[in-house]
Amino acid sequence: QAPLVETGGGLVQAGGSLRVSCTTSGRPYNNYALGWFRQAPGKEREFVAAINRSGTSTYYADSVKGRFTMSRDNSENTVSLLMNGLKPEDTAVYYCAATTIFPTLRDDLYVGWGRGTQVTVSS
């Protein structure tokens, strides 16, 4: 599968908002559920959020529930993660990937991993 491409990371103060997006560089992933993961320095990669193929259902990690919102636009082959109320512990490289299973928190069931985008939240 062609890798997904993440964009939109940056530096933001605690309490601020940021949107990261993900697009396909080639083959569309409209028939896949999509997920966001993140990895902080020295830590394991962790699940953040997932969305089903049609975009009608989402699933979030407890740590981001109520603060992050995931959406997708299949006509544009994009998926976004709107992050509100950011905390320093949200600092990480954020990755998107695709899966045939929804929802799943297992990163080994995802494909099309991109290079990620850095999100840094200052205190």
Side-chain angles (χ1 to χ4, degrees), residues 2 8-9 16 18 22 24 30 32 37 39 44-45 49-50 53 60-62 72 80-81 83 93 114 121:
L18 199 64
C22 175
T24 61
N30 292 355
Y32 289 75
F37 287 76
Q39 187 167 22
E44 301 268 330
R45 184 164 57 190
R53 291 181 297 174
Y60 298 95
D62 288 342
R72 71 186 293 170
S80 296
L81 184 69
M83 304 179 287
V93 177
V121 184

Side-chain angles (χ1 to χ4, degrees), residues 75-114:
S75 66
E76 297 290 332
N77 296 321
T78 62
V79 61
S80 296
L81 184 69
L82 175 61
M83 304 179 287
N84 295 320
L86 282 162
K87 306 174 182 179
E89 51 263 43
D90 294 319
T91 295
V93 177
Y94 283 71
Y95 302 89
C96 66
T99 181
T100 57
I101 301 171
F102 176 83
T104 181
L105 282 64
R106 288 178 49 185
D107 60 359
D108 62 320
L109 296 179
Y110 285 80
V111 297
W113 294 93

